[in-house]
Amino acid sequence: MASSSSSSLPAAWAAAVRAGAVAPALQAAVWACLAMSAMLVAEAAWMGLASLAAAAARRLRGYGYRWEPMAAPPDVEAPAPAPAEFPMVLVQIPMYNEKEVYKLSIGAACALTWPPDRIIIQVLDDSTDPFVKELVELECKEWASKKINIKYETRWEFVNYNVCLMTRIQKMSLDYHFKVEQESGSFMHAFFGFNGTAGVWRVSAINQSGGWKDRTTVEDMDLAVRASLKGWEFLYVGDIRVKSELPSTFQAYRHQQHRWTCGAANLFRKMAWEIITNKEVSMWKKHHLLYSFFFVRRAIAPILTFLFYCIVIPLSAMVPEVTIPVWGLVYIPTAITIMNAIRNPGSVHLMPFWILFENVMAMHRMRAALSGLLETARANDWVVTEKVGDQVKDELDVPLLEPLKPTECAERIYIPELLLALYLLICASYDFVLGNHKYYIYIYLQAVAFTVMGFGFVGTRTPCS
């Protein structure tokens, strides 16, 4: 009898600690996450409605902007200069050891339609590989001897989105970014974050805003925010497409997402007070920049996704005293998923994979956001996104990345993903055997996603030499 009594003491003590300390802290985390979830779904709904209104307005009256088509440029063979209404245009092409796509980039710029005496094309080559530098130089010399034409484009169109499931999921997220975030920002506030390419800037706007700055890894967004605070307006033209390439290796995508997420959060830290004290824009635009553009989308979104769906919900499955309302557990994530699916009707069948993949990537985005907000040593890490020229194999004669097969040895093991997978498996198994929350189906699926990505079975890989 004494033995039975003594053996029950640790269990009773553990239950008391769980009910008295763990459960209240976890319940507080649940309510904090629910508050952030409400902010996120409200922002998504507002942007969705604004983007639909923008689409309707564009069809009816062209956003309220008025423009007339320019006269056709003079014959490129004619010696006479172009009419004065054709502004001087500078096209800049940054390069960094990109032997797979240098021909495409330079050729695309030189194949545009614009009077030759009104266009300057700069190839900004920072390559460290002497062979690549020589190739770029030869290509520039070849095009310099030709007659060229020029026209501009703005919305990204992904040439390699069907390479693998990871690139298809990226396309879904970026299509939503352009169709909803950029469209609504342009329509409601004449502002959106410049993505660094496929855009046309006035030189006077760049100069008046203080020029390019390298204080963060998102110098394009930095310039856009400063220009907006100077009163410049932005126009998103979603009907025009420009070809772009998605990172198709998991490692390249992780580096890209760290740079984008960390840089935006770090810019928020650096510019928040400047936005608050600005005297040249309205309170409405200040609110949009501080709350919607930075706080909700660049700070709350990456932190909430990982904290709530990968930490709090699984842990609550092991603490019966903690409850999560169905509206926060089911209705809000379902609403956000539906709003994304509406703008990606051709990819509805991929939404479950999109959810699981985005939750895994949220781990990296949260770490990057905190790094930027706290300005840690990694806040200014810059790794150039690898280009592989997936879409032009025959033209470039370059070995392409090949889909990674589960039967092959992965190039790299990702320890953080595997540790999270173990944590999720423990939580799911506890809920399945001893718990009463019935979260284990979702948690098991998420554990599988972390495991698959942890072993590198996602994206493409570089073929062995």
Side-chain angles (χ1 to χ4, degrees):
M1 194 73 175
S3 142
S4 172
S5 162
S6 61
S7 63
S8 65
L9 285 178
W13 180 83
V17 171
R18 184 186 66 196
V22 176
L26 187 57
Q27 189 67 61
V30 166
W31 286 110
C33 289
L34 292 177
M36 291 188 286
S37 297
M39 288 189 283
L40 198 61
V41 73
E43 180 68 14
W46 172 251
M47 289 191 301
L49 291 174
S51 66
L52 292 175
R58 184 173 60 251
R59 292 189 177 186
L60 294 174
R61 55 184 177 85
Y63 274 119
Y65 289 86
R66 295 290 180 265
W67 57 75
E68 296 294 333
M70 299 174 65
D75 189 341
V76 295
E77 301 292 340
E85 62 264 24
F86 288 89
M88 195 69 178
V89 173
L90 169 65
V91 179
Q92 295 182 318
I93 311 173
M95 292 279 178
Y96 183 79
N97 296 337
E98 297 175 73
K99 65 186 174 82
E100 293 85 359
V101 295
Y102 75 94
K103 283 188 176 182
L104 280 178
S105 301
I106 297 172
C110 294
L112 299 170
T113 304
W114 201 257
D117 61 332
R118 299 283 181 179
I119 180 75
I120 298 174
I121 298 176
Q122 292 181 342
V123 178
L124 312 176
D125 186 19
D126 291 330
S127 299
T128 55
D129 186 332
F131 176 66
V132 176
K133 290 182 75 70
E134 183 178 354
L135 288 176
V136 172
E137 183 178 352
L138 290 173
E139 187 72 10
C140 291
K141 288 179 179 179
E142 180 180 347
W143 276 105
S145 64
K146 299 179 180 179
K147 302 287 186 180
I148 62 173
N149 312 315
I150 306 237
K151 70 189 169 194
Y152 78 92
E153 298 180 310
T154 50
R155 177 179 160 187
W156 296 3
E157 187 175 62
F158 310 107
V159 296
N160 66 330
Y161 75 92
N162 60 349
V163 167
C164 60
L165 180 59
M166 190 183 80
T167 53
R168 289 179 180 272
I169 291 173
Q170 287 180 68
K171 181 181 182 297
M172 293 167 60
S173 298
L174 286 170
D175 277 351
Y176 178 84
H177 167 68
F178 283 107
K179 293 178 182 178
V180 177
E181 293 184 1
Q182 303 293 74
E183 185 90 84
S184 62
S186 174
F187 179 66
M188 296 297 296
H189 310 280
F191 169 78
F192 49 87
F194 178 47
N195 292 306
T197 188
V200 179
W201 278 84
R202 288 187 180 273
V203 174
S204 54
I206 296 176
N207 292 336
Q208 185 181 342
S209 306
W212 297 97
K213 296 184 178 181
D214 61 356
R215 58 181 177 172
T216 70
T217 58
V218 287
E219 71 283 357
D220 39 18
M221 182 186 294
D222 187 351
L223 177 61
V225 174
R226 285 184 281 115
S228 179
L229 295 179
K230 291 292 183 181
W232 288 93
E233 296 186 345
F234 294 68
L235 175 63
Y236 172 69
V237 186
D239 297 331
I240 304 175
R241 313 293 177 86
V242 62
K243 292 181 179 179
S244 179
E245 181 181 328
L246 297 163
S248 55
T249 67
F250 186 40
Q251 187 173 13
Y253 185 59
R254 288 176 64 185
H255 287 315
Q256 181 203 67
Q257 292 301 298
H258 176 87
R259 188 175 75 244
W260 287 2
T261 307
C262 179
N266 192 228
L267 184 62
F268 181 30
R269 171 193 173 104
K270 292 179 184 294
M271 292 206 67
W273 183 247
E274 184 177 343
I275 296 171
I276 293 171
T277 58
N278 183 273
K279 305 294 184 183
E280 300 183 47
V281 298
S282 65
M283 290 297 297
W284 174 244
K285 179 166 282 191
K286 287 184 183 183
H287 172 269
H288 171 69
L289 284 170
L290 285 171
Y291 177 76
S292 301
F293 183 75
F294 275 123
F295 181 65
V296 175
R297 288 187 242 163
R298 269 75 194 181
I300 292 296
I303 294 174
L304 169 69
T305 304
F306 178 70
L307 181 64
F308 190 39
Y309 298 106
C310 299
I311 299 296
V312 171
I313 290 177
L315 186 57
S316 67
M318 303 176 67
V319 184
E321 294 85 357
V322 173
T323 58
I324 304 177
V326 67
W327 58 265
L329 189 65
V330 178
Y331 298 160
I332 285 182
T334 300
I336 293 175
T337 302
I338 290 174
M339 283 186 277
N340 189 292
I342 290 174
R343 305 313 296 267
N344 288 282
S347 302
V348 172
H349 61 293
L350 297 177
M351 292 309 296
F353 299 102
W354 175 79
I355 294 170
L356 297 174
F357 178 82
E358 287 294 299
N359 286 348
V360 175
M361 288 306 303
M363 177 176 66
H364 303 288
R365 295 190 184 114
M366 185 190 78
R367 185 167 55 187
L370 292 176
S371 179
L373 290 171
L374 301 176
E375 206 163 33
T376 66
R378 290 200 63 199
N380 290 312
D381 279 2
W382 180 280
V383 179
V384 176
T385 303
E386 179 187 16
K387 306 291 193 308
V388 296
D390 286 351
Q391 75 282 8
V392 286
K393 179 177 181 180
D394 295 335
E395 295 180 24
L396 297 181
D397 194 25
V398 175
L400 297 184
L401 300 183
E402 300 173 353
L404 184 64
K405 300 176 182 178
T407 56
E408 297 173 344
C409 180
E411 291 181 22
R412 186 169 178 181
I413 302 298
Y414 299 95
I415 300 300
E417 281 84 349
L418 294 178
L419 291 177
L420 257 295
L422 178 61
Y423 163 74
L424 292 172
L425 284 171
I426 292 172
C427 293
S429 299
Y430 181 94
D431 189 35
F432 179 73
V433 176
L434 301 173
N436 54 9
H437 286 301
K438 309 303 180 187
Y439 300 159
Y440 58 84
I441 297 177
Y442 156 72
I443 302 174
Y444 272 134
L445 289 174
Q446 194 62 67
V448 170
F450 271 98
T451 302
V452 169
M453 296 174 73
F455 281 113
F457 297 128
V458 63
T460 56
R461 68 179 180 87
T462 305
C464 299
S465 55

